Amino acid sequence: MDGLSYKKIAAIAGVVLLVVCGYLIYLRDNVLVEKRDIPELTDISAAYQADEEIAVAKSKLEEGIAPAEVITTLPAGGNCVAIVIDGLPDRSLAARMADVLQKHHATATFFVEGQNAADETETIRLLRDAGFELGNYTFVGLAGFDKVSQDEQLEEICRTQKIISVRSAFTPTLFRAPRTVFTDALLQAVHAAGIPYAVKENVRVPCHALVDEAAADAYVAGIADGSIIAIPANRPVERKADTEGKIDERPAIDMKPTIQDAGEQAPAATEDLASELDRLLTALEKRGFKVMNVNGFRKIHYIPANAAVAGEQAANAVSKNVTDKMQGGEAGGQ
């Protein structure tokens, strides 16, 4: 009987195995194959063109829209600072930075590139689950963003808005771009794309400046109360010098800001950035600073310093012309 029972068990096991194998084959051939027709998540051109959003933004510009306001430093006295992270770190680094921020009961806003947000789904989810706000850092972290055409600005901003909202169910309300002057024209494009605020830092932490506790203490000693501190986590993509106003149109995999372009110096390693952030926060705590969300800082209608100077010069020129004409008229009358 025992021998017969073993044979029956073996036969039943064999049947079960055949059924399981058949089911797996069915899944492979009939269910999983259907997923191959879904656009790849990294196929940005197919999935995230944001044509409707761009059209709406252009319409708002044509109708006339006020510039986005600029979030800037607080008046001294509150012992507060804010931290913004420029560029989406890779998942491992993002997890370490999130742990450091939570350890210090601090917050930060991560400004992320649209393309990296599309490629790094898990990283976006990790940051949102940890409670951090996401900002729009253009589609590829494009430097000198005020110098590209308004159509290109709208495309970069709107595509990034759409990607982040799809990836995180969160629509950014904050904008930044590396080495960019916040002109009225750019801020109008930002607002037309659905973003009410741009963020201007007054402190930018150089890569690998906070190598130890003493360096962090010395650096923080020069940070004023009410500062917005920017920490670069990615290398921004540069505009081509010989193609004014044009965005690099290489394939998406080459446009990712963390990938080195041929002939360029390799970007600095970022594996120690979480440790540097830890030292920065420790040094800020020693000085009694509280790290708050950048949304709590003051919001202003921003006028670039160079624009203000140009406006003053133009006003002086007009005033001089009027005076000269009046004097000329008086001389003619005499």
Side-chain angles (χ1 to χ4, degrees):
M1 291 293 291
D2 290 343
L4 184 60
S5 297
Y6 287 135
K7 288 180 180 179
K8 285 183 179 180
I9 292 172
I12 292 171
V15 171
V16 170
L17 183 61
L18 287 173
V19 170
V20 171
C21 289
Y23 182 68
L24 291 175
I25 292 171
Y26 172 81
L27 285 177
R28 182 197 67 188
D29 296 339
N30 297 279
V31 177
L32 297 181
V33 71
E34 294 177 3
K35 293 185 178 179
R36 296 172 191 161
D37 297 329
I38 299 175
E40 289 291 325
L41 294 178
T42 54
D43 184 7
I44 310 302
S45 61
Y48 298 113
Q49 283 297 328
D51 292 336
E52 292 183 10
E53 290 82 356
I54 293 171
V56 169
K58 286 183 177 179
S59 176
K60 290 180 179 179
L61 280 176
E62 290 171 0
E63 294 171 1
I65 188 170
E69 291 184 299
V70 174
I71 296 179
T72 186
T73 56
L74 283 173
N79 252 28
C80 294
V81 295
I83 291 176
V84 296
I85 310 297
D86 287 341
L88 181 67
D90 62 47
R91 190 179 187 284
S92 174
L93 178 57
R96 292 173 58 205
M97 293 179 77
D99 287 343
V100 167
L101 287 162
Q102 290 171 337
K103 165 188 164 184
H104 289 273
H105 306 288
T107 187
T109 301
F110 286 78
F111 285 84
V112 305
E113 308 90 341
Q115 179 171 295
N116 283 354
D119 292 340
E120 301 286 344
T121 311
E122 292 300 319
T123 308
I124 292 295
R125 184 177 296 119
L126 181 153
L127 293 174
R128 287 299 297 155
D129 287 349
F132 297 113
E133 185 171 3
L134 303 179
N136 188 313
Y137 201 53
T138 82
F139 188 66
V140 288
L142 193 64
F145 200 57
D146 55 303
K147 295 180 176 64
V148 304
S149 71
Q150 206 162 54
D151 284 347
E152 291 167 324
Q153 290 171 354
L154 291 178
E155 182 178 354
E156 286 253 334
I157 299 170
C158 289
R159 292 173 76 190
T160 302
Q161 285 291 95
K162 187 168 184 178
I163 291 169
I164 295 175
S165 63
V166 168
R167 289 303 197 204
S168 66
F170 171 84
T171 302
T173 60
L174 303 175
F175 170 83
R176 275 178 62 74
R179 294 192 292 284
T180 292
V181 177
F182 288 150
T183 63
D184 261 9
L186 171 57
L187 292 172
Q188 284 177 315
V190 170
H191 200 185
I195 304 177
Y197 306 113
V199 177
K200 179 173 174 53
E201 87 285 1
N202 65 305
V203 175
R204 188 163 185 82
V205 181
C207 291
H208 305 301
L210 312 180
V211 293
D212 54 31
E213 183 178 340
D217 288 342
Y219 189 81
V220 168
I223 294 179
D225 184 13
S227 290
I228 297 176
I229 305 169
I231 301 174
N234 260 340
R235 177 179 61 81
V237 171
E238 298 285 358
R239 292 187 307 110
K240 291 185 177 179
D242 59 345
T243 312
E244 185 69 22
K246 290 293 290 180
I247 293 174
D248 193 347
E249 294 293 346
R250 290 172 295 171
I253 190 171
D254 289 331
M255 291 175 67
K256 188 171 180 180
T258 51
I259 294 178
Q260 180 185 0
D261 294 334
E264 293 184 354
Q265 184 179 359
T270 56
E271 62 267 17
D272 293 324
L273 186 56
S275 298
E276 293 191 61
L277 176 61
D278 193 6
R279 296 182 194 113
L280 173 67
L281 292 170
T282 299
L284 288 170
E285 288 168 356
K286 289 179 184 177
R287 289 196 56 202
F289 282 124
K290 179 178 68 175
V291 180
M292 61 181 286
N293 192 298
V294 74
N295 266 311
F297 278 53
R298 63 191 179 120
K299 303 168 177 68
I300 62 171
H301 174 77
Y302 182 72
I303 301 176
N306 57 349
V309 171
E312 185 177 349
Q313 290 174 342
N316 290 339
V318 170
S319 177
K320 184 177 184 302
N321 287 339
V322 171
T323 302
D324 290 345
K325 288 180 180 179
M326 289 177 65
Q327 291 174 347
E330 290 174 359
Q334 293 174 352

